[in-house]
Amino acid sequence: MKIPSWPAWLPYPISLLRGFGLTYAFTSTVKGQFPVQSAEDLAAILIGGWIWVAILFSWLHWFSVFAANLLLTHLPQKPSLDNFRQRLTAWSNTKQAHWKEGLNAFIISFVTSIFVVCVVFSVVPAPSRQEAYNNDSYELRQFMIHVRFTLILIGMAIVSAYFYQYDLWARQRKAAKQERQLQNSSAPAAKQKRRCIIRV
């Protein structure tokens, strides 16, 4: 459901929330395993992080759908709550399968982490361990690593939010298309019914 007067270039709050949540879940899992000793260990940590966010977001999607349906069932019939009920119903109608939400989280975390890490590492230099040892610049190395990780957090959150916004737009367009097709298929039957009434 579109938000009136919302800037077209800015992701909706739900997309921002999902992007920040995905970033926090992934980076908090991966960061706790550092430092690593080999590239094989790094690959295993990243794969574990991607699988973890897929499982987590599948469960969160199931829980949110369950909570929304429960709320719609017990929501009082008050005019002041009609707008909220319509928004909740619109979201519920555009929901997707739980495993698809997990798959989205896996793909988005994979693409954004690889892309953002490559960009940050190419833009923000940091001395290697050997260089830091030779030049006595260990504190500089630690500071630059901290800067890199902060930029990775921000970059992943922003890019993930736009990915989720695109996914939301795609599902809204699909729902609107299905609704138009349903209306078009029911229109001839209604027209035929009116003709029969006129003839009678």
Side-chain angles (χ1 to χ4, degrees):
M1 186 174 183
K2 293 185 177 180
I3 301 178
S5 70
W6 189 265
W9 55 269
L10 184 65
Y12 287 173
I14 185 61
S15 299
L16 292 171
L17 180 63
R18 293 166 78 187
F20 285 120
L22 175 71
T23 300
Y24 178 79
F26 177 76
T27 55
S28 61
T29 303
V30 173
K31 185 181 180 181
Q33 307 301 322
F34 279 82
V36 295
Q37 301 298 326
S38 64
E40 290 79 8
D41 294 338
L42 177 61
I45 292 171
L46 292 176
I47 293 173
W50 295 326
I51 294 175
W52 160 243
V53 295
I55 296 173
L56 177 63
F57 271 65
S58 295
W59 181 85
L60 288 175
H61 186 261
W62 171 86
F63 180 78
S64 62
V65 171
F66 173 80
N69 291 334
L70 186 65
L71 184 60
L72 283 172
T73 303
H74 296 85
L75 199 64
Q77 297 294 333
K78 295 182 179 180
S80 58
L81 297 175
D82 287 346
N83 189 33
F84 174 73
R85 182 181 290 103
Q86 290 175 0
R87 289 182 179 275
L88 193 61
T89 303
W91 175 82
S92 181
N93 291 337
T94 58
K95 66 182 183 296
Q96 56 185 349
H98 307 312
W99 67 268
K100 286 186 177 180
E101 188 67 29
L103 180 62
N104 278 352
F106 180 90
I107 294 174
I108 292 174
S109 62
F110 174 79
V111 174
T112 55
S113 60
I114 297 298
F115 172 74
V116 173
V117 166
C118 290
V119 171
V120 170
F121 273 62
S122 63
V123 173
V124 181
S128 63
R129 292 181 181 177
Q130 188 64 36
E131 292 173 344
Y133 177 79
N134 295 335
N135 301 325
D136 194 20
S137 56
Y138 180 77
E139 292 184 358
L140 174 62
R141 169 179 165 80
Q142 292 300 109
F143 174 75
M144 295 309 297
I145 290 176
H146 179 73
V147 171
R148 279 179 168 179
F149 187 77
T150 302
L151 292 177
I152 289 172
L153 277 174
I154 298 173
M156 280 193 65
I158 294 174
V159 176
S160 298
Y162 277 97
F163 270 116
Y164 273 119
Q165 181 65 20
Y166 175 79
D167 175 67
L168 180 62
W169 283 336
R171 286 190 284 120
Q172 288 177 340
R173 288 195 296 268
K174 182 179 180 180
K177 183 179 179 180
Q178 291 176 346
E179 184 177 353
R180 287 195 302 268
Q181 290 176 346
L182 182 62
Q183 291 176 351
N184 293 336
S185 62
S186 60
K191 187 180 294 184
Q192 183 66 26
K193 185 177 181 180
R194 286 196 300 269
R195 289 178 178 174
C196 293
I197 293 175
I198 293 174
R199 290 176 180 175
V200 174

